[in-house]
Amino acid sequence: MGTRFELPSDVREAFGLSDRDITLLPQDASSRSYGRVTHPEFGACLVLSDNPEASHFRNYLSIGPHLRAMGLSAPRIHATDTARGFALIEDFGLATYARELASGADEGALYDLATDVLIHLHGADSATKIDIPPYDMDLLLSEAARFTDWCVPAIGIDLSDAEKAEHQALWRATLSEVADRRDVLVMRDFHIDNLLLLPERNGPARCGLLDFQDGLIGAAAYDLVSLTQDARRDVPREIEARVLERYLAARPETDRADLMADFWRLGAQRHAKVAGLFHRLDRQAGKPGYLRHVPRVLGQLERALTEGGLSDLAAFYDRVAPSWRDHAAKA
């Protein structure tokens, strides 16, 4: 892959970038591409390309202003080409949580700030103020199926159609309550690689938000899982407990038992999904680097099954793919 971001000439002209070099930024697990450029009017900006996922790009253009209207920090959008999925957006800089933590920043303070974002977002009745789809049973089940479609075969086991159907039935029973939640805007990838420190801002706005175009309406527990059970980082258990206690203290109307039941069920679903996704990225997209995270994710799945009392699913995995726990132990 080259180091320049390729932008159609007419879009360059419309965006005021005709004579500007755009530096291609490293690509993440998605199909999106980003470039950084200094704009003569707006200063440092990013160019976002989301051509393969038009619906997600429309979500981005809808959710960003919605978050800003709530007093949170999502990038401002300076210009768009909606037909082809390009946007010129505000650049929050390089101070991602991942970089800050690597530089020795106060871990507890950063996670407190991220928790305050969720407290603010969930207290603003965000589910009723934006028209985006729900995180419903069909999508939850299709994501859980990535585990049997990609992860189990990578371990060396081929499941029958009947076993895959049993897997889906078990997940349907597990998610029967949480799939009906329509409580909050769920950003879905709320973790340290998509959060930035903006020290010149105040309150929850000090946390810059990226990668929310997959947002849906669903359960409050989901983004708490994303934050505290990170697929790419070992989050200390004391930080997980700190986040949950801070959240519950700020939202006393939340039933602790219900939240924790959702937390472990959605955690198990997310870890099953991500383990399958990382194997799919290796096999389909030629991105083997994500495989180094699979043992961690499987360990998180094992913990969620145990803590959530999801014994039927655990027994199923032990029966059809008995080596999966050994795979998890390699973390």
Side-chain angles (χ1 to χ4, degrees):
M1 181 180 292
T3 58
R4 289 187 52 173
F5 185 99
E6 298 301 327
L7 195 65
S9 59
D10 59 327
V11 178
R12 276 181 168 273
E13 184 174 354
F15 283 5
L17 300 172
S18 297
D19 59 348
R20 305 272 165 169
D21 282 341
I22 306 173
T23 302
L24 182 67
L25 298 179
Q27 194 172 16
D28 60 13
S30 75
S31 57
R32 293 178 292 275
S33 300
Y34 300 87
R36 177 169 278 118
V37 63
T38 300
H39 192 281
E41 180 180 354
F42 305 120
C45 292
L46 297 178
V47 175
L48 164 69
S49 170
D50 198 15
N51 293 333
E53 302 174 87
S55 64
H56 292 186
F57 184 67
R58 289 193 297 271
N59 260 16
Y60 184 88
L61 299 180
S62 175
I63 294 174
H66 174 70
L67 293 171
R68 290 196 303 277
M70 290 183 173
L72 297 173
S73 291
R76 293 188 178 279
I77 302 168
H78 299 302
T80 62
D81 182 319
T82 54
R84 286 175 287 184
F86 293 103
L88 190 66
I89 65 175
E90 180 181 9
D91 187 357
F92 281 160
L94 300 174
T96 65
Y97 268 36
R99 286 174 180 261
E100 291 294 301
L101 289 167
S103 299
D106 186 328
E107 183 178 36
L110 287 177
Y111 277 89
D112 284 351
L113 177 57
T115 308
D116 290 346
V117 169
L118 295 180
I119 292 166
H120 183 85
L121 177 64
H122 296 175
D125 195 22
S126 59
T128 66
K129 297 178 180 178
I130 187 168
D131 183 20
I132 58 174
Y135 206 171
D136 61 15
M137 180 66 82
D138 287 345
L139 181 54
L140 288 163
L141 290 179
S142 69
E143 290 176 342
R146 292 179 188 171
F147 190 81
T148 48
D149 289 343
W150 295 97
C151 190
V152 173
I155 295 173
I157 298 167
D158 292 323
L159 299 184
S160 67
D161 289 343
E163 288 170 328
K164 290 181 179 181
E166 182 183 357
H167 181 248
Q168 290 293 88
L170 287 168
W171 272 114
R172 183 178 293 277
T174 297
L175 301 169
S176 59
E177 293 184 11
V178 72
D180 291 332
R181 303 269 193 256
R182 303 291 182 266
D183 301 330
V184 300
L185 167 62
V186 179
M187 287 181 277
R188 297 178 71 197
D189 283 307
F190 190 77
H191 53 73
I192 65 167
D193 295 304
N194 294 327
L195 305 176
L196 296 100
L197 184 63
L198 306 176
E200 73 283 1
R201 304 190 185 191
N202 298 312
R206 294 179 68 242
C207 182
L209 306 174
L210 302 177
D211 204 10
F212 45 76
Q213 58 278 330
D214 295 333
L216 296 168
I217 301 301
Y222 193 92
D223 282 339
L224 290 166
V225 171
S226 300
L227 180 64
T228 62
Q229 297 187 13
D230 197 318
R232 298 170 179 83
R233 179 176 189 264
D234 294 321
V235 179
R237 297 283 180 89
E238 56 268 27
I239 292 292
E240 178 188 286
R242 177 173 174 155
V243 166
L244 291 169
E245 291 306 319
R246 186 179 184 88
Y247 182 87
L248 284 163
R251 303 197 72 223
E253 72 279 12
T254 301
D255 183 277
R256 176 186 290 268
D258 288 345
L259 180 77
M260 294 311 300
D262 287 354
F263 183 83
W264 293 118
R265 282 161 173 73
L266 289 171
Q269 187 272 351
R270 179 174 173 83
H271 304 323
K273 171 185 76 172
V274 171
L277 170 63
F278 285 171
H279 277 292
R280 190 182 75 184
L281 287 170
D282 170 47
R283 301 292 288 274
Q284 276 194 340
K287 298 179 178 180
Y290 289 97
L291 293 180
R292 71 182 185 275
H293 302 301
V294 169
R296 175 187 298 108
V297 176
L298 291 179
Q300 292 167 333
L301 172 59
E302 184 174 18
R303 180 181 174 221
L305 294 173
T306 300
E307 297 284 354
L310 308 180
S311 55
D312 288 346
L313 269 168
F316 172 83
Y317 290 139
D318 288 342
R319 171 165 54 84
V320 302
S323 62
W324 81 274
R325 290 179 188 269
D326 297 334
H327 202 57
K330 296 176 182 177

